[in-house]
Amino acid sequence: GAVVSQHPSRVICKSGTSVKIECRSLDFQATTMFWYRQFPKQSLMLMATSNEGSKATYEQGVEKDKFLINHASLTLSTLTVTSAHPEDSSFYICSARVIQEDQPQHFGDGTRLSIL
Amino acid sequence: EDQVTQSPEALRLQEGESSSLNCSYTVSGLRGLFWYRQDPGKGPEFLFTLYSAGEEKEKERLKATLTKKESFLHITAPKPEDSATYLCAVPQYRSWGKLQFGAGTQVVVTP
């Protein structure tokens, strides 16, 4: 149980392109999903908290107009990297948590984004 | 400010050579601590949740323990398939959902 699917697993595109990443909880409902960014040999850095039916909450230093988050249903959140540039190249990972507060987050397998 | 520190940064073990990883934390009112395993190019895989000091949990060759200031992940008689980066994380103050991750310990087990 508690499977999170993330798609696509890898994206290579030109500078200026917008890229959408999907995160789905397959066998449970998630009112809250989280988006992380991970640089090589570093730990996960929380970018934003995605709340179903309301606006996302962004961490300090994360541009909300650059990283658009939509959480339209209890099983789907999307992250759109708008007008991506090479410095946006990174490993993006989403997670979801069942509604009970003390339950762990379950992670997708990540999206490797490479901007040329 | 909440802090999570893992040590060592890297650990190289011979198959069968048991060892322990450390996760020390400074948080206001710890409500739980999570251990994850991350393979290269993958998202973290959940291993354990520990809720209170003195609690222990086991899964195959892994055993996690928790004190008031730190947690240990013991790897008993590791196999090459135990090679991974092990991450610990604690919920941030007043936000059970937001996790503060340690930098991880990269474990390599050689045959």
Side-chain angles (χ1 to χ4, degrees):
Chain A
V3 177
V4 176
S5 173
Q6 190 172 339
H7 179 80
S9 59
R10 185 174 182 99
V11 179
I12 303 172
C13 58
K14 294 181 179 179
S15 185
T17 306
S18 292
V19 178
K20 180 186 281 189
I21 303 170
E22 289 188 352
C23 180
R24 293 181 185 272
S25 55
L26 295 186
D27 53 359
F28 66 100
Q29 293 185 332
T31 54
T32 306
M33 292 184 176
F34 304 88
W35 288 96
Y36 294 84
R37 188 170 177 174
Q38 187 175 33
F39 290 104
K41 299 197 175 183
Q42 293 187 26
S43 194
L44 285 76
M45 295 299 295
L46 180 66
M47 297 175 64
T49 302
S50 170
N51 303 296
E52 188 266 336
S54 64
K55 290 183 180 179
T57 305
Y58 291 83
E59 295 301 298
Q60 193 172 7
V62 178
E63 299 175 58
K64 60 182 179 182
D65 295 330
K66 175 74 166 175
F67 299 100
L68 301 179
I69 292 173
N70 183 276
H71 193 156
S73 77
L74 286 172
T75 59
L76 174 63
S77 176
T78 60
L79 169 69
T80 301
V81 183
T82 61
S83 187
H85 292 284
E87 57 266 29
D88 299 321
S89 298
S90 190
F91 191 51
Y92 293 88
I93 312 175
C94 73
S95 73
R97 184 166 60 92
V98 298
I99 293 174
Q100 283 175 260
E101 268 210 339
D102 62 349
Q103 294 302 301
Q105 292 179 26
H106 295 277
F107 289 81
D109 269 344
T111 297
R112 173 71 59 192
L113 177 61
S114 300
I115 308 298
L116 305 177
Chain B
E1 184 180 324
D2 298 341
Q3 284 200 344
V4 181
T5 304
Q6 290 188 246
S7 63
E9 290 185 11
L11 190 58
R12 193 172 186 89
L13 301 171
Q14 290 278 338
E15 185 171 2
E17 179 188 359
S18 301
S19 188
S20 294
L21 316 181
N22 178 266
C23 171
S24 62
Y25 56 86
T26 55
V27 297
S28 305
L30 183 75
R31 288 170 290 169
L33 183 144
F34 301 105
W35 280 99
Y36 289 88
R37 167 196 171 124
Q38 186 176 24
D39 293 306
K42 299 288 186 181
E45 175 189 348
F46 170 69
L47 293 174
F48 304 109
T49 308
L50 300 168
Y51 293 103
S52 58
E55 189 173 0
E56 298 183 352
K57 294 223 175 135
E58 287 189 64
K59 180 181 179 180
E60 296 181 356
R61 295 175 293 280
L62 300 177
K63 179 180 177 181
T65 62
L66 182 65
T67 72
K68 287 185 178 179
K69 291 187 176 181
E70 56 193 349
S71 178
F72 292 93
L73 184 66
H74 309 276
I75 310 178
T76 302
K79 297 182 177 181
E81 54 262 42
D82 295 321
S83 298
T85 296
Y86 292 86
L87 301 166
C88 69
V90 298
Q92 293 185 17
Y93 180 64
R94 288 190 175 179
S95 177
W96 185 273
K98 291 175 63 173
L99 296 181
Q100 180 78 34
F101 277 88
T105 295
Q106 184 179 24
V107 174
V108 175
V109 182
T110 56

